[in-house]
Amino acid sequence: MQLNRSVLIVEDEEVIRTSLAEFLTLEGYETMQASTVAKALELARDRDFNVAICDVQLPDGDGIELLRRLQNIKPNIFVLIITAYATVENTISAFKAGAFDYLVKPVIFDDLSHKLNRLFEYQKIFYENQILRRELARSPGIEEVVGSSKALLKLQSTIRKIAATNSNVLLSGESGTGKELFARSIHSNGPNREQRFLAVNCGMRPIELLESQLFGSANSSLQYPASEQIGVFKNADGGTVYLDEISQLPLGTQGKLLRAIEYGEILPLGSAEPVKVDVRLIASTTQDLAEMVKSGEFEQDLFYRLDGMKIHIPALRERVDDVPELVEYFISKHSRKMGKRVTGATSETIRTLMSAEWKGNVRQLDNAIERAVMMCDETTICLNDLPPELHQNEPPLPDVDDLRLALRHYERMHITRVLKDSTDKREAAKRLKLGLSSLYRKIEELDIELE
């Protein structure tokens, strides 16, 4: 796609400002100039700029504060900071505020050209992903599946292929990853999409009540509601039954479920006559069912029936590129529900959310944004609107001015954290988007101590 190559130059030194404008004009960019914070904000309100190049020191304000205010006015603007001294403190402050990159005075035009080309290439991918997400949202059955990361697109491709059949499916993944959402996607993209989708949580209920809910009851004296006397399998006949956390099913109930899959019939409680049913079964688990089979906690034949069509739902840390789009979606959802006019989040907030661990996955992110929308007094969510645990434990700045040493410090700290949170180095390398050999080289170069 073709982007409008418009650049706002904010610099109080006229010689530098006009030189930058002349060079960028020759390079094919459309430029406008401002020498103050006030003028820059006035231009940004009246016109759309893809990029702003801002000096840190301005006559009527600070370039970092201008960066924040520009992004509140135009959330999609990308900012390059110009600084006379590339100290650790002001560079990190710029990145935390949402700067895309920085330039050191005197500005080298080749360096500027390279960074702008890289920025516009990134911006092009960003907007293409936005368009792709909207197109995916219009596809039947996946309107609530938000994101356009490689991991998610690969998952959606797999779901479309499996959904087209009528096979039973097992969804695995951590708690909070949205397994029921993907189960609904499979159903609504499948051949029985016009029929019912009924979900059952397999835990936290007496066995008799659970089996009555699943298979029905012929004993009216149990005083179950009429729909529960019929049971989910019969109610969903021709459609889909989703069993959430199937690992919690008692062994006896697992045997009855296996019969329903193999023979297409169920035996209601208190009945001697089996009832024919035709349903598609989708089950989910956070547990390793293969290990449960070995320990005798899960029916082996049932496991084999389900494991053939197994789909792993990635954790949020495995699709961190989806966080900005998920944030946008949840802000819209909760703003509408609360009747508030919250339209976005600051770049600093997005960066913080992208670096969080998210042990509760998408569900935890949803809850965090709901809280942030509730606390937000402006139209844009700021860092202080987030739950305190997400922003109170920021790492201390290294006591050095050399940018290379500072970057080495943060690289070492980041890799160490990922290694601690991963089961092995292969998983850590995958999360870091590194080859395994590259990770070993980094461990040696940065003198990382391994437990």
Coordinates of all heavy atoms in Angstrom, one line a residue, residues 124-163:
K124 N 4.2 0.7 6.9 CA 3.5 0.0 5.9 C 3.0 -1.4 6.4 O 1.8 -1.7 6.2 CB 4.4 -0.2 4.7 CG 3.7 -0.9 3.5 CD 4.7 -1.1 2.4 CE 4.0 -2.0 1.2 NZ 5.0 -2.2 0.2
I125 N 3.8 -2.1 7.0 CA 3.4 -3.4 7.6 C 2.4 -3.3 8.7 O 1.4 -4.0 8.7 CB 4.7 -4.2 8.2 CG1 5.7 -4.5 7.0 CG2 4.3 -5.4 8.9 CD1 7.0 -5.0 7.5
F126 N 2.5 -2.2 9.5 CA 1.5 -2.0 10.5 C 0.1 -1.7 10.0 O -0.8 -2.3 10.4 CB 2.0 -0.7 11.3 CG 1.0 -0.3 12.4 CD1 1.0 -0.9 13.6 CD2 0.1 0.8 12.1 CE1 0.1 -0.5 14.6 CE2 -0.8 1.2 13.1 CZ -0.8 0.6 14.3
Y127 N 0.0 -0.9 8.9 CA -1.3 -0.6 8.4 C -1.8 -1.8 7.6 O -3.0 -2.0 7.6 CB -1.2 0.6 7.5 CG -1.1 1.9 8.2 CD1 0.0 2.8 8.0 CD2 -2.0 2.3 9.2 CE1 0.1 4.0 8.7 CE2 -1.9 3.4 9.9 CZ -0.9 4.3 9.7 OH -0.8 5.5 10.4
E128 N -0.9 -2.6 6.9 CA -1.4 -3.8 6.2 C -2.0 -4.8 7.2 O -3.0 -5.4 6.9 CB -0.3 -4.4 5.4 CG 0.1 -3.6 4.2 CD 1.3 -4.2 3.4 OE1 2.0 -5.0 4.1 OE2 1.5 -3.8 2.3
N129 N -1.3 -4.9 8.4 CA -1.9 -5.8 9.4 C -3.2 -5.3 9.9 O -4.1 -6.1 10.2 CB -0.9 -5.9 10.6 CG 0.3 -6.8 10.3 OD1 0.3 -7.5 9.4 ND2 1.4 -6.7 11.1
Q130 N -3.4 -4.0 10.0 CA -4.7 -3.4 10.5 C -5.8 -3.8 9.5 O -6.9 -4.2 9.9 CB -4.6 -1.9 10.6 CG -3.7 -1.4 11.8 CD -4.4 -1.6 13.1 OE1 -4.3 -2.7 13.7 NE2 -5.1 -0.6 13.6
I131 N -5.5 -3.7 8.2 CA -6.4 -4.0 7.1 C -6.7 -5.5 7.2 O -7.9 -5.9 7.1 CB -5.9 -3.6 5.7 CG1 -5.8 -2.0 5.7 CG2 -6.8 -4.1 4.6 CD1 -5.0 -1.5 4.5
L132 N -5.7 -6.3 7.3 CA -5.9 -7.7 7.4 C -6.7 -8.1 8.5 O -7.6 -9.0 8.4 CB -4.5 -8.4 7.4 CG -4.5 -10.0 7.5 CD1 -5.2 -10.5 6.2 CD2 -3.1 -10.5 7.6
R133 N -6.5 -7.5 9.7 CA -7.3 -7.8 10.9 C -8.8 -7.5 10.6 O -9.7 -8.3 11.0 CB -6.8 -7.0 12.1 CG -7.6 -7.3 13.3 CD -7.2 -6.5 14.5 NE -7.5 -5.1 14.3 CZ -8.7 -4.6 14.5 NH1 -9.7 -5.4 14.9 NH2 -8.9 -3.3 14.4
R134 N -9.1 -6.4 10.0 CA -10.5 -6.0 9.7 C -11.1 -7.0 8.7 O -12.3 -7.4 8.8 CB -10.6 -4.6 9.1 CG -10.2 -3.6 10.2 CD -10.4 -2.2 9.7 NE -9.9 -1.2 10.7 CZ -8.8 -0.5 10.5 NH1 -8.0 -0.7 9.5 NH2 -8.4 0.3 11.4
E135 N -10.3 -7.5 7.7 CA -10.8 -8.5 6.8 C -11.1 -9.8 7.5 O -12.1 -10.4 7.2 CB -9.8 -8.7 5.6 CG -9.7 -7.5 4.7 CD -8.6 -7.7 3.6 OE1 -7.8 -8.7 3.8 OE2 -8.5 -6.9 2.7
L136 N -10.2 -10.2 8.4 CA -10.4 -11.4 9.1 C -11.6 -11.3 10.0 O -12.4 -12.2 10.2 CB -9.2 -11.7 10.0 CG -7.9 -12.2 9.2 CD1 -6.8 -12.3 10.2 CD2 -8.2 -13.6 8.6
A137 N -11.8 -10.1 10.5 CA -13.0 -9.9 11.4 C -14.3 -10.0 10.7 O -15.3 -10.4 11.3 CB -12.9 -8.5 12.1
R138 N -14.3 -9.8 9.4 CA -15.5 -10.0 8.6 C -15.8 -11.4 8.2 O -16.9 -11.8 7.7 CB -15.4 -9.1 7.3 CG -15.6 -7.6 7.6 CD -15.9 -6.9 6.3 NE -14.7 -6.9 5.4 CZ -13.8 -5.9 5.5 NH1 -13.9 -4.9 6.3 NH2 -12.7 -5.9 4.7
S139 N -14.8 -12.3 8.4 CA -15.0 -13.7 8.1 C -15.9 -14.3 9.1 O -15.9 -14.0 10.3 CB -13.6 -14.5 8.1 OG -12.7 -13.9 7.2
P140 N -16.8 -15.2 8.7 CA -17.8 -15.8 9.6 C -17.1 -16.6 10.7 O -16.2 -17.4 10.4 CB -18.6 -16.8 8.7 CG -17.7 -17.1 7.5 CD -16.9 -15.8 7.3
G141 N -17.5 -16.3 11.9 CA -17.1 -17.2 13.0 C -15.8 -16.7 13.7 O -15.4 -17.2 14.7
I142 N -15.1 -15.8 13.1 CA -13.8 -15.4 13.8 C -13.8 -13.9 14.0 O -12.8 -13.3 14.1 CB -12.6 -15.8 13.0 CG1 -12.6 -15.3 11.6 CG2 -12.4 -17.3 13.0 CD1 -11.4 -15.5 10.8
E143 N -15.0 -13.2 14.1 CA -15.0 -11.8 14.3 C -14.5 -11.4 15.7 O -14.1 -10.2 15.8 CB -16.5 -11.3 14.2 CG -17.5 -11.8 15.2 CD -18.1 -13.1 14.7 OE1 -17.6 -13.7 13.8 OE2 -19.0 -13.6 15.4
E144 N -14.4 -12.3 16.6 CA -13.9 -11.9 18.0 C -12.4 -12.3 18.1 O -11.8 -12.1 19.2 CB -14.7 -12.5 19.0 CG -16.2 -12.2 19.0 CD -16.4 -10.7 19.3 OE1 -15.7 -10.1 20.2 OE2 -17.3 -10.0 18.7
V145 N -11.9 -13.0 17.2 CA -10.5 -13.4 17.2 C -9.6 -12.3 16.7 O -9.6 -12.0 15.5 CB -10.2 -14.7 16.4 CG1 -8.7 -15.1 16.5 CG2 -11.0 -15.8 17.0
V146 N -8.9 -11.6 17.6 CA -8.3 -10.3 17.3 C -6.8 -10.5 17.2 O -6.2 -11.1 18.1 CB -8.6 -9.2 18.4 CG1 -7.8 -7.9 18.1 CG2 -10.1 -9.0 18.4
G147 N -6.1 -10.0 16.2 CA -4.7 -10.1 16.0 C -4.3 -10.4 14.6 O -5.1 -11.0 13.8
S148 N -3.1 -10.2 14.3 CA -2.5 -10.5 12.9 C -1.1 -11.0 13.0 O -0.4 -10.9 12.0 CB -2.7 -9.3 12.0 OG -2.1 -8.1 12.6
S149 N -0.7 -11.5 14.2 CA 0.7 -12.0 14.3 C 0.8 -13.3 13.4 O -0.2 -13.9 13.1 CB 1.0 -12.4 15.7 OG 0.1 -13.4 16.2
K150 N 2.0 -13.7 13.2 CA 2.3 -14.9 12.4 C 1.7 -16.1 13.1 O 1.1 -17.0 12.5 CB 3.8 -15.1 12.1 CG 4.4 -14.2 11.1 CD 5.8 -14.5 10.9 CE 6.4 -13.5 9.8 NZ 7.9 -13.8 9.6
A151 N 1.8 -16.2 14.4 CA 1.3 -17.3 15.2 C -0.2 -17.4 15.1 O -0.7 -18.5 14.9 CB 1.7 -17.2 16.7
L152 N -0.9 -16.3 15.1 CA -2.3 -16.3 15.1 C -2.8 -16.6 13.7 O -3.8 -17.4 13.5 CB -2.9 -14.9 15.6 CG -4.4 -14.9 15.7 CD1 -4.9 -15.9 16.7 CD2 -4.9 -13.5 16.0
L153 N -2.2 -16.0 12.7 CA -2.6 -16.3 11.3 C -2.4 -17.8 10.9 O -3.3 -18.4 10.3 CB -1.8 -15.4 10.3 CG -2.1 -13.9 10.4 CD1 -1.3 -13.2 9.4 CD2 -3.6 -13.6 10.2
K154 N -1.3 -18.4 11.4 CA -1.1 -19.8 11.2 C -2.2 -20.6 11.9 O -2.7 -21.6 11.3 CB 0.3 -20.2 11.7 CG 0.7 -21.6 11.5 CD 2.1 -21.9 12.0 CE 2.4 -23.4 11.8 NZ 3.8 -23.7 12.4
L155 N -2.5 -20.2 13.1 CA -3.6 -20.9 13.9 C -4.9 -20.8 13.2 O -5.6 -21.8 13.0 CB -3.7 -20.3 15.3 CG -4.8 -20.8 16.2 CD1 -4.7 -22.3 16.4 CD2 -4.8 -20.1 17.5
Q156 N -5.3 -19.7 12.7 CA -6.5 -19.5 12.0 C -6.6 -20.3 10.7 O -7.7 -20.8 10.3 CB -6.8 -18.0 11.7 CG -7.1 -17.2 13.0 CD -7.2 -15.7 12.7 OE1 -6.5 -15.2 11.9 NE2 -8.2 -15.1 13.4
S157 N -5.5 -20.4 10.0 CA -5.4 -21.2 8.8 C -5.7 -22.7 9.1 O -6.5 -23.4 8.5 CB -4.0 -21.1 8.1 OG -3.9 -22.0 7.0
T158 N -5.1 -23.2 10.2 CA -5.3 -24.6 10.7 C -6.8 -24.8 11.1 O -7.4 -25.8 10.7 CB -4.4 -24.9 11.9 OG1 -3.1 -24.7 11.5 CG2 -4.7 -26.3 12.4
I159 N -7.4 -23.8 11.8 CA -8.8 -23.9 12.2 C -9.7 -24.0 11.0 O -10.6 -24.8 11.0 CB -9.1 -22.7 13.1 CG1 -8.5 -22.9 14.5 CG2 -10.6 -22.5 13.2 CD1 -8.7 -21.8 15.5
R160 N -9.4 -23.2 10.0 CA -10.3 -23.2 8.8 C -10.3 -24.6 8.1 O -11.3 -25.1 7.7 CB -9.9 -22.1 7.8 CG -10.3 -20.7 8.2 CD -10.1 -19.8 7.0 NE -10.5 -18.4 7.4 CZ -9.6 -17.5 8.0 NH1 -8.4 -17.9 8.1 NH2 -10.0 -16.3 8.3
K161 N -9.1 -25.2 8.1 CA -9.0 -26.5 7.4 C -9.7 -27.6 8.2 O -10.5 -28.4 7.7 CB -7.5 -26.9 7.3 CG -6.8 -26.0 6.3 CD -5.3 -26.3 6.3 CE -4.5 -25.4 5.3 NZ -3.1 -25.6 5.4
I162 N -9.5 -27.6 9.6 CA -10.2 -28.6 10.4 C -11.7 -28.3 10.5 O -12.5 -29.3 10.6 CB -9.5 -28.6 11.8 CG1 -8.1 -29.2 11.7 CG2 -10.3 -29.4 12.8 CD1 -7.3 -29.2 13.0
A163 N -12.1 -27.0 10.6 CA -13.5 -26.7 10.7 C -14.3 -27.2 9.5 O -15.5 -27.6 9.7 CB -13.7 -25.2 10.8

